[in-house]
Amino acid sequence: MIKADLTGALSFAGDFAPVLDEAKQTLARLLAGSAGVDGTGWLKLPEQMSAVVPAVMSAAQRICADSQVLVVIGIGGSYLGARAAIDFIQSVHYNALKKNTPDVYFVGNNLSGEHLEQVIALIGNRDFSVNYISKSGSTLEPASAFRVFKKRLTDKYGSKGAASRIYVTTDAEKGKLRALTDREGYTSFVIPDDVGGRYSVLTPVGLLPAAVADIDIAAMLDGARDIMENGQDEAARYAALRQALYRAGRKIELLVGFEPSLVSTGEWWKQLFGESEGKNGLGIFPASAQFTTDLHSLGQYIQDGERTLFETFVSAEVPRGTITVIADEALEDGLAPLAGESFSKLNDAARQGTKQAHIDGGVPVIELRLPSYTAYDFGMLVQFFELSCGVSALMTGVNPFDQPGVEAYKKNLYAILGLQK
Ligand code: PA5
């Protein structure tokens, strides 16, 4: 289970007890469906999605059998979770590893022509399939990238062969992709109507790319279920402390991992909290960092800059990697006493030392500790953050499940390009 250690932040948070009470009541309303908001279907995903696992696995097996590459086309909630899962559970170097499963490339998450060309060059002559993920079916970035890869598939395999290699994940009825999917006979998966993009990682949106990357998706769902059964209080405590800190003037939250494998989890987390909370002139600004790397860039500001931020550290009891420091007397750099120590011990020392330094410097630090970095842990972390985010956003007084602000740039972009919105 995830453990939230609040001791490094409580003294910055004013009177915490009433805020915790409020968080518990808000959670109860969210769970009971009486929070006055739509889009809470993600609460049931850990239960419901078990039924979809066999179909997802069979699609993943087909992709693994006939493709050396899976191209995942999607943006925002339609890609961030899958990328986070692969980096967190497998490796940030997943594509470069020798393995029996396809490389997974993410495209359609920007409008860079160069990025598309680079991915096309990386695929080369290899066999590939496409997973086009878009709830609306009309988002410019993935829709324009899909055209490129649909044509490449058709050129390589003919239209029937191409259709058999296109896997669509979209809305059941409403999205603009549904009609095309049915007409062309693409294998397809449903994003439930009451699940918004940033809450959809535990639907086929995240499950199919994860399964292709040899991730145990049933374990991911088990971890998420564990949170629904045993982790609600911990999620409410985290949400409450975020709010207490926000009300005490802390406007920025920095999510910190001590492993490169957590960087893309930070990207997913930023979207989850940013799109859920940042509304009506309110909300904590979500930022992320990787330590110790960023202690050599952002570290000065965190230690000594304006006192408007707080940090949330994410780490695990079971460390990643077993490599140790080598004894080398020729190197007169003062590190000789570390010979034989594991890098994970150094990393843990950095975590403890940084935490204390930042608290001493006036930065509240919340610590979230996972048992390990497995698929089960990832599922727990996802459901934990989603639950906390829903509660925290409701306590901010905004709707956690809409994103009206995203439309503003789209409106201008479409107008500049002469497109109907
Ligand atoms: O969380 C959200 O709803 C958004 O980030 C969407 O996921 C993103 O805009 C992509 O939308 P769509 O899946 O409709 O292409």
Side-chain angles (χ1 to χ4, degrees), residues 259-399:
E259 298 285 346
S261 52
L262 262 69
V263 169
S264 46
T265 299
E267 297 302 309
W268 168 82
W269 174 90
K270 284 193 283 195
Q271 192 218 359
L272 176 67
F273 280 84
E275 273 192 10
S276 298
E277 264 184 340
K279 283 160 204 171
N280 307 339
L282 298 167
I284 298 166
F285 183 83
S288 62
Q290 186 213 335
F291 287 176
T292 59
T293 312
D294 292 331
L295 291 174
H296 297 259
S297 63
L298 294 172
Q300 171 62 38
Y301 187 101
I302 299 167
Q303 189 66 46
D304 236 3
E306 208 174 335
R307 303 297 71 186
T308 49
L309 60 84
F310 67 97
E311 292 175 305
T312 298
F313 287 8
V314 178
S315 59
E317 300 295 339
V318 176
R320 293 185 95 113
T322 54
I323 192 167
T324 56
V325 179
I326 307 287
D328 191 335
E329 297 302 329
L331 297 172
E332 294 168 0
D333 54 9
L335 298 195
L338 294 182
E341 296 290 7
S342 66
F343 275 77
S344 61
K345 185 169 174 188
L346 309 192
N347 211 6
D348 205 52
R351 178 179 63 81
Q352 293 175 40
T354 307
K355 180 179 177 183
Q356 198 51 55
H358 288 180
I359 294 169
D360 293 346
V363 177
V365 180
I366 302 172
E367 276 226 75
L368 303 178
R369 286 287 271 180
L370 288 160
S372 187
Y373 292 106
T374 64
Y376 190 96
D377 295 279
F378 184 78
M380 278 203 292
L381 197 60
V382 162
Q383 198 72 14
F384 175 88
F385 277 139
E386 289 180 355
L387 215 46
S388 311
C389 183
V391 170
S392 181
L394 287 169
M395 290 171 76
T396 306
V398 299
N399 181 346

